[in-house]
Amino acid sequence: TPLRIDFWGRSLTVQHHSRGAASMTFEELCERPLSANDYLHLVQHLHTLVLRNVPILSHSRRHETRRFITLLDAIYDNKLTLIVSAEASPSQLFFPPSESDTNSSPTNPQNEMAEILEMETEDGNSLSSALFTGEE
């Protein structure tokens, strides 16, 4: 039975859920016109979210990227466990350089985003996991 979350005359439906965990696609959550309020209501019903099929977020997907970041904020603020399957690693996910982009200066927004998202262990090794718990 789908989980239906009703609030302020709106509703969100979660097709795949069980005991506070849900599995949803990027399309379901970020390619629809959802707001921070929608995400906050969703995460209040969950302790774990499996987010599937996250594409590389190029400039042409800037609206979806904003929604994705808003969703991540709601997940982090509510300390949900997030498991992501994505087309690329976190450092390669946002605004990949185009073939014509030859600017590699530190002020390039693509480089800045990659640096922000780059995660390393204490011994300097890159993390290969895309599991975020909000406990960091």
Side-chain angles (χ1 to χ4, degrees):
T1 305
L3 169 64
R4 183 179 161 135
I5 303 168
D6 294 309
F7 57 96
W8 295 352
R10 295 173 57 102
S11 69
L12 283 171
T13 302
V14 180
Q15 295 294 330
H16 306 285
H17 68 95
S18 178
R19 300 179 190 171
S23 177
M24 300 182 79
T25 64
F26 180 86
E27 179 181 0
E28 290 173 303
L29 289 174
C30 300
E31 292 183 3
R32 297 177 35 206
L34 298 176
S35 69
N37 196 37
D38 296 319
Y39 298 134
L40 289 172
H41 279 87
L42 171 67
V43 300
Q44 289 173 358
H45 290 82
L46 304 173
H47 59 73
T48 302
L49 176 64
V50 176
L51 183 59
R52 303 182 325 272
N53 305 330
V54 177
I56 292 175
L57 299 167
S58 63
H59 184 70
S60 65
R61 291 180 169 264
R62 65 186 170 278
H63 300 294
E64 293 89 344
T65 301
R66 284 188 192 119
R67 288 187 203 109
F68 181 58
I69 292 169
T70 301
L71 171 63
L72 292 177
D73 285 342
I75 289 167
Y76 183 83
D77 289 346
N78 287 274
K79 299 188 180 344
L80 265 67
T81 298
L82 174 62
I83 301 167
V84 176
S85 76
E87 203 173 308
S89 68
S91 64
Q92 300 294 313
L93 198 58
F94 290 90
F95 305 114
S98 66
E99 291 178 16
S100 63
D101 185 9
T102 58
N103 181 3
S104 61
S105 74
T107 59
N108 181 341
Q110 296 160 347
N111 292 338
E112 288 178 20
M113 184 61 77
E115 288 175 19
I116 290 168
L117 294 173
E118 185 64 36
M119 295 181 294
E120 295 183 351
T121 61
E122 289 180 16
D123 60 3
N125 294 323
S126 287
L127 292 174
S128 59
S129 172
L131 176 66
F132 301 95
T133 64
E135 299 288 326
E136 294 81 31

